[in-house]
Amino acid sequence: MYRLLIVDDEEMITDGLYETLSRCNLDLDLCKAYSGREALDWLHRTRVDIVLSDIRMPGIDGMQLLSVIKRHWPHCRVIFLTGYSDFDAVYRAIQTPGVQYLLKSEGYPKVIQAVDQAVAELNDSLRVNDLIQRAQEKLNTLEVLARGEYFRHLLHGANPAANLAADFRKLSIPLDAERPVYVAQGDLSRASSAVSSYASRHESAMAVTLLAERLLNGQVLSLGMIDRFGDVVWLIQPSADRADASEEEEDRMSFLSYLVGQFELIQQACMSSLELSVAVTLGDRPSKWGKLSATYDKMRRQGQTRTGDGGQMVRMLSLDVSCCARERSPRDKSDALSAHLDAGRREEFLQLFDELTASEQDNGSPYLLELYYTISLVLLSYINRLELENQVTGFPALMRPDEFACWKDAFAFLRAMSGELFELRSSGESNRAAEAILKVRAYIEEHLDEDLSLVRLAGYIHFNPSYLSRLFKQSCGMNLSEYIEAARVERAKALLKNDDLKVLEVGVRVGYEASQSFTRFFKKATGVTPQEYREASRT
């Protein structure tokens, strides 16, 4: 879902545009600001895809907003409205790519047409099939392969070389060895069965890497690669004009807001162009190169605690820079089992489990004992991290293979416990989703007189807005905006039965400062004006 911000210092115009566009079924998340300063707050807080703004406003005007938009959200489309013959501003506006210009006197149909055009341009910009085809040759170059192998080496525990900059120069790596780096992980584990094989998963991950390279290009220094578990990892630094973005807390949060917004676009493009659902985990602070393996390891360990299915979520992970990576088992198959369990890949886990235990009758007791304890430790580690010991059947027997009559029974026990862990994981995600939605609904009921924009509600429960919108509709069967309108209507009906309150006061208590806006909203929902409803309720 794209986000459209309406900006005008005249409240009647802002509200009128908001109400008109909300009735057009454009599938847009609508936000509004009554000044350039308020619009800047939105632009620094969340991704904005389309801005519909007056050019002339006191304080920060439309052209000043445009410079901020192009710096922070280069893919954003801008539609300028003005009632002035400001030819200089108009000339500069129409010279900027992605900007349209309309006179206020042209009316709502022209505005709706311009918004439709902006949405179409955004959709076109996310189509990447031809991009992937053109870049296929680049993907196969030895240089790109060498870069990926080099960073996989660092991610999985190798210490960086003393002269990291020299390695970067030799491999033409577009990152600064002297500056820390943000880490993001893209999890394809919730993608369709079409990417279940290694080859198709690897191809899909490469396509996602290419797509992200295009959308991040120019604003950041970034390098995408595929880790040994088949997921995408990005290493990101601010570009030259953002070089100090990690120095101050406000700048760091602004840079993170930009990254979250761009990864939302990447997710949307993956779904529309590749039909892939990608969950993204983003570290909330940059990591020193010496801590890169520890940072990556923590992100993998904690990546499974999603809410709902997590398929289109951009999750911000708090990183303790002093964290130390846990020792990794030298057994590659143990690593793979752990990775499948952590990612929720049930079929892959059980397939590998069956491969490991299929030849149990052909091996002696020492091998079977080692195999049993290897698998048990994978399960035990997962149970301990998620504190599931009281929820798993037979947990005390996990490290006691001598309690079973034969090895076949012992491995059958481990397989059954594995299936139980996957079921607990699924139910836990659903429960967290239900708890989050209940929390949002309670907040709405308590704050009907305040701003209940999608961005604000998402910030309240620390989700990205597009994920909250999708999760709410899945859980409640209606859009979040529809739920809020229904709640406001019900509250207004109850308050109108109280003759001590004026209609204007009722409107304020359900979030409408202007009486005309409240009347239009109420009549649209009920078919009668607030006063007519009050009079009817007295009879």
Side-chain angles (χ1 to χ4, degrees), residues 20-28 30 116 479 482 524:
T20 299
L21 291 173
S22 66
R23 294 194 295 266
C24 292
N25 298 318
L26 295 174
D27 194 26
L28 291 169
L30 300 179
D116 280 333
N479 292 327
E482 294 172 344
K524 176 189 171 185

Side-chain angles (χ1 to χ4, degrees), residues 272-316:
S272 62
S273 298
L274 306 174
E275 296 184 357
L276 287 177
S277 177
V278 182
V280 175
T281 302
L282 173 65
D284 70 339
R285 63 192 68 248
S287 168
K288 295 181 179 178
W289 290 105
K291 296 285 187 181
L292 183 60
S293 177
T295 298
Y296 166 78
D297 199 31
K298 182 174 183 180
M299 294 178 76
R300 284 212 66 86
R301 289 201 312 271
Q302 297 192 12
Q304 71 269 16
T305 56
R306 306 172 188 145
T307 304
D309 64 10
Q312 299 257 131
M313 188 177 189
V314 180
R315 178 171 181 259
M316 193 80 70

Side-chain angles (χ1 to χ4, degrees), residues 304-375:
Q304 71 269 16
T305 56
R306 306 172 188 145
T307 304
D309 64 10
Q312 299 257 131
M313 188 177 189
V314 180
R315 178 171 181 259
M316 193 80 70
L317 178 64
S318 177
L319 295 176
D320 178 4
V321 294
S322 64
C323 69
C324 297
R326 297 180 182 178
E327 291 296 325
R328 299 176 181 273
S329 168
R331 303 179 183 87
D332 289 340
K333 291 183 178 179
S334 171
D335 277 349
L337 276 176
S338 181
H340 292 324
L341 182 60
D342 287 347
R345 297 192 283 255
R346 178 174 186 150
E347 291 184 5
E348 290 93 332
F349 179 95
L350 294 178
Q351 181 180 353
L352 181 55
F353 182 99
D354 292 340
E355 290 175 2
L356 289 171
T357 59
S359 58
E360 61 188 47
Q361 301 299 326
D362 301 327
N363 295 279
S365 180
Y367 167 79
L368 295 177
L369 185 62
E370 179 185 4
L371 180 59
Y372 182 92
Y373 277 123
T374 297
I375 298 173

Side-chain angles (χ1 to χ4, degrees), residues 455-525:
V455 171
R456 180 173 183 178
L457 293 173
Y460 172 63
I461 57 172
H462 310 294
F463 284 6
N464 57 297
S466 57
Y467 183 73
L468 172 60
S469 176
R470 188 168 70 93
L471 184 65
F472 192 93
K473 188 167 185 178
Q474 286 178 347
S475 300
C476 301
M478 66 173 68
N479 292 327
L480 185 55
S481 59
E482 294 172 344
Y483 180 86
I484 294 171
E485 285 190 4
R488 281 176 163 154
V489 167
E490 292 306 311
R491 178 70 59 81
K493 286 180 178 178
L495 293 174
L496 286 168
K497 294 177 181 179
N498 182 353
D499 289 336
D500 294 335
L501 293 174
K502 297 180 180 179
V503 170
L504 175 61
E505 292 175 309
V506 173
V508 170
R509 293 195 184 189
V510 294
Y512 287 87
E513 296 287 341
S515 60
Q516 292 179 340
S517 296
F518 173 56
T519 299
R520 283 196 299 270
F521 157 74
F522 191 86
K523 187 171 183 179
K524 176 189 171 185

Side-chain angles (χ1 to χ4, degrees), residues 190-473:
R190 299 309 173 94
S192 67
S193 57
V195 296
S196 59
S197 70
Y198 173 82
S200 57
R201 188 191 304 277
H202 194 268
E203 182 181 1
S204 298
M206 293 176 98
V208 172
T209 304
L210 274 171
L211 188 151
E213 179 181 334
R214 180 194 177 204
L215 291 177
L216 292 172
N217 184 39
Q219 297 297 309
V220 300
L221 305 176
S222 67
L223 183 70
M225 74 208 74
I226 304 170
D227 66 13
R228 63 177 175 178
F229 304 112
D231 292 323
V232 182
V233 176
W234 292 276
L235 302 179
I236 303 169
Q237 292 174 330
S239 57
D241 59 340
R242 292 176 177 260
D244 297 327
S246 58
E247 297 294 328
E248 301 292 338
E249 182 68 13
E250 183 177 350
D251 292 333
R252 181 175 69 84
M253 295 308 297
S254 176
F255 183 63
L256 285 171
S257 176
Y258 167 77
L259 289 182
V260 169
Q262 292 307 102
F263 276 117
E264 287 178 349
L265 282 179
I266 290 167
Q267 288 175 325
Q268 189 168 340
C270 286
M271 182 60 68
S272 62
S273 298
L274 306 174
E275 296 184 357
L276 287 177
S277 177
V278 182
V280 175
T281 302
L282 173 65
D284 70 339
R285 63 192 68 248
S287 168
K288 295 181 179 178
W289 290 105
K291 296 285 187 181
L292 183 60
S293 177
T295 298
Y296 166 78
D297 199 31
K298 182 174 183 180
M299 294 178 76
R300 284 212 66 86
R301 289 201 312 271
Q302 297 192 12
Q304 71 269 16
T305 56
R306 306 172 188 145
T307 304
D309 64 10
Q312 299 257 131
M313 188 177 189
V314 180
R315 178 171 181 259
M316 193 80 70
L317 178 64
S318 177
L319 295 176
D320 178 4
V321 294
S322 64
C323 69
C324 297
R326 297 180 182 178
E327 291 296 325
R328 299 176 181 273
S329 168
R331 303 179 183 87
D332 289 340
K333 291 183 178 179
S334 171
D335 277 349
L337 276 176
S338 181
H340 292 324
L341 182 60
D342 287 347
R345 297 192 283 255
R346 178 174 186 150
E347 291 184 5
E348 290 93 332
F349 179 95
L350 294 178
Q351 181 180 353
L352 181 55
F353 182 99
D354 292 340
E355 290 175 2
L356 289 171
T357 59
S359 58
E360 61 188 47
Q361 301 299 326
D362 301 327
N363 295 279
S365 180
Y367 167 79
L368 295 177
L369 185 62
E370 179 185 4
L371 180 59
Y372 182 92
Y373 277 123
T374 297
I375 298 173
S376 295
L377 285 171
V378 169
L379 302 182
L380 180 62
S381 176
Y382 183 85
I383 291 169
N384 285 341
R385 290 200 306 273
L386 274 69
E387 300 179 353
L388 300 173
E389 59 271 15
N390 296 323
Q391 302 178 53
V392 180
T393 306
F395 173 74
L398 185 59
M399 302 304 291
R400 300 174 188 169
D402 54 331
E403 292 192 3
F404 301 97
C406 61
W407 285 113
K408 184 176 182 179
D409 290 346
F411 287 114
F413 165 74
L414 291 182
R415 198 180 194 282
M417 179 174 284
S418 302
E420 190 174 351
L421 290 177
F422 281 107
E423 292 298 327
L424 284 172
R425 176 196 177 94
S426 178
S427 63
E429 290 168 351
S430 298
N431 290 339
R432 284 193 292 273
E435 290 173 4
I437 296 304
L438 284 175
K439 189 175 180 181
V440 168
R441 291 173 66 169
Y443 184 89
I444 290 170
E445 293 295 332
E446 294 173 6
H447 298 82
L448 285 175
D449 60 334
E450 300 177 13
D451 169 31
L452 290 177
S453 65
L454 179 58
V455 171
R456 180 173 183 178
L457 293 173
Y460 172 63
I461 57 172
H462 310 294
F463 284 6
N464 57 297
S466 57
Y467 183 73
L468 172 60
S469 176
R470 188 168 70 93
L471 184 65
F472 192 93
K473 188 167 185 178

